Amino acid sequence: MKRKPWAALAALLALMLMLAACGGQSGGGANGGDTVPAGEGGASAEGGKADPVTIRFSWWGSGPRHEATLAAIEKYMELNPYVKVEAEYMGFDGYSKKLATQFAGDSAPDLFQYVNSFNDQLGDYLMDLKQAEIDTSTFPESALRDFATYEDKLIFIPTGQDTFGAIYNEAFFEKHGIPQDKSWTWDSLIEIGKKVHETDPDDYLLTADIDVIEREIIIPYVTQRTGKIWINDDFTPNFTEQDLEGAYSYLLQLYENGVMEPFGNSTAFVGKMEQNPKWVNGEIGMLFDYAGAFGKYEQSVSGASISIGPFPEHPDAKQSANPITAGTGFAINDSSKVKEETAKLLDWLVNDPEAAVILNTQRGIPASGKALEALGASGQLKPEIKAAVEYAGTRTALPITVLSDNASIRVAHEDAIQKVIYKKLTPQQGAAEAMANIKEKLEELKAEAR
């Protein structure tokens, strides 16, 4: 396997250092670990006696995901007392930077949560899981082919399937007379959100961090109208400056009409909006996120009923821009000294019925048929999540390709969006700058791909 030169990875690290703030808290587990050298760990050939094995396992998420994953680890170690799993967990902010730093320093964990937008940077350093003893027979073939395959290698096992939804507070809707079965358009968000804020200046219909603004407002606003994927496979943008200018003008209307919480207040909660005091206190009515994240929003608002509604669409939308995705999963470090035992743990996490019930939907609705059946039988699959995915499945949607979700392109785009929000650029100027930035990044990626 041809790997990227370390100089290229160093450049990546420089980029990621700019990309990610130093948020999040690390969980337990030493960075260095005490991984058992090759051939020393795992089940012994003599009498089934097993030698101790240590597996380092890292992931990102919030409290409920951490708690569920730690509980699953405890169960696995109970079932396999010769295995010690060292947990390393944090928020998403800074996760990719930390992972890239660990790979550059040859200290990456054995098993880790992965998303296919990391492919260009880390895909070459992952084990081909076709070589591992992992049961992939119950996974949708499209999930493995369209999301988890990189250069003919199966580089991660999807942990869930998911889709965007409008997660809302039922009491807030009742207070402002908003029907719970409301089918949102982008224009109706402004119409109703303006009334909400005029009725109670402390209340906002929406909140969003910069990632959500770029991924779940600007891009869908454009691609629902164009009916095209965001970035072509030939490294060219599939939208115009005029498309961007229109979306940026719409975004400013959300702020100027009091529909969306001021950006300066919400930006402190990137990737952890469930901790936003205005959401916790019931002063935010709705936010956009993956349906699988429903649990953390439900748990963060004590005593309130939280639900999920359809994602907004233009009345004349050519596609929903809200496909069912399976781009997140677990990957194994190709340099791990305990790949065989790590693969056993991975297989247990994604396929075992007991693990499915413990992990619930903290990483989306299980992509494994075995896990999905077990979770459904347990009665723990929330109907709101199931309904959101089923609704998305009824809508025509183009896939979110890896290139369209590339981290460096997204950062280049987000930089221009923030300048528009802070009125440093007009929507027209912002669109011009964003287009230039995105094209520059695409040329860099194209050169790296040659």
Side-chain angles (χ1 to χ4, degrees), residues 117-175:
S117 60
F118 298 168
N119 284 1
D120 286 345
Q121 294 81 25
L122 299 177
D124 288 340
Y125 303 94
L126 308 183
M127 179 184 180
D128 184 356
L129 299 178
K130 294 176 184 174
Q131 312 303 322
E133 292 188 12
I134 297 173
D135 182 5
T136 59
S137 64
T138 63
F139 287 79
E141 184 179 341
S142 60
L144 301 176
R145 181 192 62 233
D146 297 341
F147 294 97
T149 298
Y150 173 76
E151 296 187 350
D152 296 326
K153 295 192 308 179
L154 182 63
I155 57 172
F156 69 92
I157 301 298
T159 48
Q161 50 187 334
D162 219 333
T163 189
F164 296 142
I167 299 172
Y168 64 90
N169 184 323
E170 292 184 4
F172 185 99
F173 272 35
E174 182 176 353
K175 173 182 176 182

Side-chain angles (χ1 to χ4, degrees), residues 9 23 25-26 31 43 122-123 152 156 217 223 271 283 385 423 425:
L9 187 54
Q25 295 182 342
S26 293
N31 282 342
L122 299 177
D152 296 326
F156 69 92
I217 295 179
T223 58
E283 296 174 320
I385 297 176
K423 303 292 182 67
L425 296 175

Side-chain angles (χ1 to χ4, degrees), residues 140-448:
E141 184 179 341
S142 60
L144 301 176
R145 181 192 62 233
D146 297 341
F147 294 97
T149 298
Y150 173 76
E151 296 187 350
D152 296 326
K153 295 192 308 179
L154 182 63
I155 57 172
F156 69 92
I157 301 298
T159 48
Q161 50 187 334
D162 219 333
T163 189
F164 296 142
I167 299 172
Y168 64 90
N169 184 323
E170 292 184 4
F172 185 99
F173 272 35
E174 182 176 353
K175 173 182 176 182
H176 291 282
I178 304 171
Q180 292 194 26
D181 59 353
K182 176 72 178 171
S183 294
W184 293 99
T185 66
W186 299 105
D187 287 342
S188 68
L189 286 174
I190 290 180
E191 177 189 349
I192 294 177
K194 183 179 180 181
K195 292 179 182 175
V196 164
H197 193 59
E198 288 174 347
T199 301
D200 187 338
D202 289 331
D203 287 358
Y204 295 93
L205 178 61
L206 287 174
T207 190
D209 61 40
I210 185 60
D211 290 342
V212 172
I213 289 170
E214 196 263 352
R215 184 182 60 202
E216 297 170 43
I217 295 179
I218 299 297
I219 293 179
Y221 188 91
V222 171
T223 58
Q224 285 178 4
R225 281 185 165 157
T226 65
K228 302 174 182 176
I229 61 172
W230 184 239
I231 303 290
N232 291 311
D233 290 341
D234 64 358
F235 296 88
T236 57
N238 216 1
F239 49 87
T240 66
E241 284 186 27
Q242 290 71 34
D243 293 331
L244 289 181
E245 182 183 352
Y248 293 173
S249 296
Y250 173 78
L251 177 64
L252 290 185
Q253 289 184 60
L254 292 177
Y255 287 114
E256 291 167 356
N257 287 287
V259 179
M260 191 126 83
E261 181 187 20
F263 185 74
N265 296 343
S266 63
T267 195
F269 303 99
V270 176
K272 50 185 178 184
M273 199 57 75
E274 79 281 2
Q275 298 177 23
N276 183 334
K278 292 192 77 65
W279 169 260
V280 173
N281 294 330
E283 296 174 320
I284 298 290
M286 186 166 63
L287 42 78
F288 304 137
D289 203 338
Y290 285 107
F294 177 81
K296 69 176 183 180
Y297 295 110
E298 184 181 42
Q299 293 176 28
S300 63
V301 186
S302 179
S305 293
I306 306 299
S307 193
I308 307 177
F311 194 67
E313 288 186 26
H314 293 295
D316 58 349
K318 297 177 180 177
Q319 59 124 356
S320 71
N322 188 25
I324 296 174
T325 64
T328 301
F330 292 138
I332 294 177
N333 179 356
D334 198 30
S335 297
S336 169
K337 302 297 191 298
V338 287
K339 284 191 280 193
E340 182 178 347
E341 287 296 332
T342 303
K344 290 180 183 176
L345 170 59
L346 195 167
D347 184 61
W348 185 84
L349 288 168
V350 298
N351 280 319
D352 187 87
E354 192 168 15
V357 174
I358 295 173
L359 292 170
N360 206 286
T361 55
Q362 290 303 324
R363 289 179 176 82
I365 296 178
S368 159
K370 287 182 183 175
L372 183 61
E373 182 178 351
L375 189 58
S378 74
Q380 295 190 38
L381 180 59
K382 290 184 178 297
E384 295 90 346
I385 297 176
K386 186 171 182 286
V389 174
E390 288 177 345
Y391 176 79
T394 67
R395 311 296 296 159
T396 299
L398 296 172
I400 299 174
T401 63
V402 172
L403 199 54
S404 295
D405 201 33
N406 179 274
S408 60
I409 295 174
R410 295 192 62 192
V411 169
H413 189 197
E414 290 175 0
D415 183 58
I417 293 171
Q418 292 184 78
K419 289 179 180 177
V420 172
I421 293 173
Y422 286 123
K423 303 292 182 67
K424 294 180 179 178
L425 296 175
T426 66
Q428 183 180 29
Q429 292 168 334
E433 180 167 311
M435 184 64 84
N437 290 346
I438 290 171
K439 285 184 175 179
E440 181 181 350
K441 291 300 176 186
L442 286 169
E443 285 299 318
E444 292 175 5
L445 293 171
K446 186 176 182 179
E448 291 174 6

Side-chain angles (χ1 to χ4, degrees), residues 73-122:
I73 288 173
E74 285 297 319
K75 173 53 67 175
Y76 188 80
M77 291 194 296
E78 178 185 325
L79 297 171
N80 302 274
Y82 66 97
V83 176
K84 176 184 178 183
V85 180
E86 292 186 339
E88 302 173 14
Y89 51 95
M90 59 188 294
F92 183 73
D93 194 15
Y95 179 84
S96 61
K97 179 194 70 176
K98 179 179 179 180
L99 197 57
T101 302
Q102 290 175 321
F103 270 99
D106 199 23
S107 61
D110 302 294
L111 176 67
F112 50 92
Q113 190 171 346
Y114 187 82
V115 61
N116 59 357
S117 60
F118 298 168
N119 284 1
D120 286 345
Q121 294 81 25
L122 299 177

